[in-house]
Amino acid sequence: MQKTGYYRKSGELFLQNISLKKLANTYGTPTFVYDSNSIKHSFNLLDSIMKPFNGKIHFAVKSNDNLGVIKYINSLGAGADVVSIGELKRCLKVSVKPKDIIFSGVGKQKDEIEFAIIKNIKQLNAESIEELKDIIEISKNLKKKVNVALRVNLDINAKTHKKISTGDENSKFGIIYDDIVSAYKLMKKASFIKPYGLAIHVGSQLFDYDVFYKTFSKIKKLALELRNKGFEVNHLDLGGGFGVDYSLKNLLNYETFNRALNKVFKRDDFQISIEPGRSLIAESGILLTKVIREKSTNLKKFLIVDAAMNNLIRPTLYNARHSIIPLQVKNNRLIKKYDIVGPICETGDFLGIGYSLQQMKKNEFLAIMTCGAYGSVMRSNYNSRPSATEIFIHDDKEILLREREKIDQLIAVDIIPNF
Ligand code: LLP
């Protein structure tokens, strides 16, 4: 527990000065809560690793696109990495400077590329020769220069969950090695493209030193090859993917990344940037949920709670195991083995299978830990369920970041036909 900013006072879970039970009672559940101190801690740690390289951190907005979160992380000194015009507009809305924004993503459309070029963002990462040709044409029509980096695919096995591996040649991401020289030639010829460098991102939830080492060595080798051929390669965007420990056992430390970075890039003149999402925000967040009721069968004990896969899809989508703990510890309770499930009509709607917990009663609260990244942002309205409330805790004060959706709002977007 001490590994995060969350702590207990008389068995009750607190964050900074705030009682989470009180928050749950005031704002209702399900509710996401984020701890500013945890975000700051993670940012500072990474920043100190990047300092010797003059490296720049760009927050991967896909991990949490709440305006308040983007604004806070930007205030710490991070730029942003976006993958859609929507995320780009969110960043601009909270005054992230265009010169601090990288636009990645495999399927950028014409309006998105145009908007990014007009806004003068720092860099577009091209993910294929086909996309590069579109960018060249659009910049020519606009008669406006744009920095373009090539996102490369160097066929690296990231040793992570299949659904979040992006670095091997089976994945849709990046330009393969054989096509890179022709892509660079295209960029060099185009009058409105400034060849900026290379980008890579091999996957998410990475821990392995060898994966970082192989990725960085391969991209550096390629950059040097290109330089030898007379191409300009000044910037290397090394992606994100730094893993966090969902069991809460190990402190976030970026150790393997740091070691590989220093091994490969010490004394180089490349300008390095990174795009972390999860490691900046995951540990800051928890999801508060209320027990609706217990249900027992011959085989199982279920705790049915008011959060569901529409609030947190990670357990069912990636078999992720988030730590789940009571908001109030009661020492006299029996320990029981529960499947913690939501109200959605799917067997896949679970938050945790086989958790040993103190016996829980109706209307008591649980905290699902490490939910700051890829939590609320992956929400849906399945079963006509509104999204959760989001609250930020900063300087011992609670700040409402997103109101709970109202069912009427959900219904209002449908148009009733005149049958
Ligand atoms: N840059 C690019 C190009 C990416 O595709 C991603 C993540 C990142 C940066 C940030 O990676 P991070 O530092 O957050 O690992 N929904 C999944 C994770 C999907 C990651 C997608 N790409 C999950 O909940 O585990």
Side-chain angles (χ1 to χ4, degrees):
M1 272 307 304
Q2 273 70 347
K3 306 286 160 58
T4 68
Y6 297 87
Y7 65 98
R8 291 204 186 270
K9 220 160 47 181
S10 310
E12 196 189 323
L13 200 63
F14 274 73
L15 176 59
Q16 299 184 25
N17 256 344
I18 310 271
S19 148
L20 296 174
K21 205 161 63 182
K22 212 163 132 213
L23 272 192
N25 279 320
T26 310
Y27 292 92
T29 48
T31 286
F32 286 90
V33 181
Y34 307 114
D35 171 22
S36 68
N37 289 342
S38 153
I39 302 173
K40 193 173 181 177
H41 169 75
S42 176
F43 177 83
N44 286 343
L45 207 56
L46 197 50
D47 201 37
S48 65
I49 293 169
M50 299 307 287
K51 272 263 151 64
F53 298 90
N54 245 332
K56 174 93 188 162
I57 299 173
H58 299 81
F59 171 54
V61 170
K62 66 173 78 70
S63 64
N64 189 318
D65 69 1
N66 191 299
L67 294 184
V69 168
I70 301 172
K71 185 172 177 181
Y72 181 71
I73 297 182
N74 183 241
S75 78
L76 298 175
D81 164 58
V82 301
V83 290
S84 69
I85 192 168
E87 287 187 359
L88 177 51
K89 286 187 173 178
R90 281 180 175 273
C91 291
L92 297 176
K93 178 115 187 172
V94 291
S95 305
V96 180
K97 294 195 184 80
K99 71 164 186 42
D100 292 329
I101 301 177
I102 298 176
F103 197 152
S104 314
V106 74
K108 294 187 249 355
Q109 300 185 51
K110 184 166 180 263
D111 62 323
E112 299 185 293
I113 297 170
E114 261 172 15
F115 186 75
I117 296 178
I118 291 167
K119 288 290 170 195
N120 264 321
I121 68 162
K122 172 177 178 174
Q123 157 190 355
L124 273 175
N125 288 346
E127 294 251 8
S128 61
I129 298 251
E130 295 81 352
E131 188 185 55
L132 178 61
K133 287 181 179 160
D134 286 347
I135 298 172
I136 291 173
E137 194 187 314
I138 294 167
S139 62
K140 206 163 106 192
N141 290 341
L142 291 172
K143 298 195 177 42
K144 215 165 159 6
K145 277 233 171 204
V146 56
N147 297 331
V148 176
L150 301 179
R151 159 115 181 239
V152 297
N153 183 323
L154 301 179
D155 199 23
I156 288 162
N157 174 357
K159 300 190 195 158
T160 184
H161 193 282
K162 201 169 99 218
K163 287 184 184 155
I164 53 176
S165 290
T166 53
D168 64 71
E169 279 196 20
N170 284 312
S171 95
K172 65 183 174 184
F173 298 100
I175 302 176
I176 59 167
Y177 181 83
D178 297 346
D179 288 341
I180 287 161
V181 170
S182 20
Y184 239 96
K185 280 185 183 153
L186 278 179
M187 292 209 287
K188 202 172 171 180
K189 250 184 27 212
S191 13
F192 291 94
I193 302 289
K194 172 152 180 33
Y196 208 55
L198 302 174
I200 195 161
H201 172 82
V202 300
S204 195
Q205 195 53 351
L206 312 177
F207 293 96
D208 196 298
Y209 171 79
D210 291 337
V211 170
F212 287 121
Y213 179 74
K214 204 183 263 175
T215 305
F216 301 163
S217 315
K218 278 194 165 190
I219 198 169
K220 176 172 161 178
K221 185 162 166 273
L222 175 60
L224 296 175
E225 275 171 37
L226 289 166
R227 279 183 171 179
N228 276 339
K229 290 188 163 61
F231 297 117
E232 211 178 312
V233 190
N234 292 330
H235 293 80
L236 295 182
D237 171 357
L238 302 179
F242 317 119
V244 306
D245 181 4
Y246 283 85
S247 75
L248 306 182
K249 285 196 189 106
N250 298 299
L251 284 171
L252 182 73
N253 60 27
Y254 297 107
E255 195 270 325
T256 48
F257 163 69
N258 189 8
R259 202 147 40 94
L261 187 72
N262 276 282
K263 178 98 182 157
V264 178
F265 290 112
K266 209 147 201 181
R267 288 182 291 277
D268 277 325
D269 62 344
F270 295 109
Q271 301 222 350
I272 289 180
S273 52
I274 50 171
E275 308 164 347
R278 188 193 313 264
S279 62
L280 289 183
I281 178 88
E283 289 184 349
S284 81
I286 58 169
L287 174 57
L288 300 176
T289 184
K290 187 167 76 181
V291 175
I292 298 174
R293 65 179 64 87
E294 203 186 74
K295 168 178 174 170
S296 299
T297 67
N298 285 336
L299 298 178
K300 293 259 186 189
K301 259 192 197 329
F302 294 101
L303 267 187
I304 305 174
V305 298
D306 67 355
M309 66 191 279
N310 77 303
N311 306 112
L312 182 70
I313 201 169
R314 303 195 69 261
T316 192
L317 193 56
Y318 314 111
N319 292 319
R321 204 170 161 88
H322 289 248
S323 177
I324 303 180
I325 56 176
L327 278 201
Q328 178 72 59
V329 170
K330 304 256 186 189
N331 289 327
N332 50 356
R333 297 264 177 99
L334 294 174
I335 300 296
K336 297 211 166 174
K337 194 151 198 185
Y338 288 116
D339 283 4
I340 300 158
V341 300
I344 284 181
C345 296
E346 274 212 32
T347 304
D349 177 30
F350 60 85
L351 299 155
I353 302 287
Y355 279 54
S356 291
L357 271 184
Q358 71 182 31
Q359 181 169 25
M360 295 294 295
K361 298 193 176 154
K362 213 177 189 153
N363 295 329
E364 289 181 340
F365 298 111
L366 289 170
I368 307 176
M369 308 301 284
T370 328
C371 282
Y374 306 110
S376 168
V377 79
M378 294 180 80
R379 68 194 167 273
S380 79
N381 292 122
Y382 191 32
N383 281 199
S384 282
R385 286 171 52 88
S387 67
T389 305
E390 291 178 56
I391 294 172
F392 201 66
I393 309 286
H394 183 49
D395 284 344
D396 291 318
K397 286 188 201 62
E398 70 214 48
I399 305 168
L400 181 62
L401 289 191
R402 184 176 279 150
E403 290 191 45
R404 187 180 309 288
E405 251 169 341
K406 297 188 176 53
I407 290 177
D408 286 349
Q409 284 175 301
L410 291 184
I411 297 176
V413 291
D414 283 17
I415 299 155
I416 305 171
N418 272 331
F419 298 136

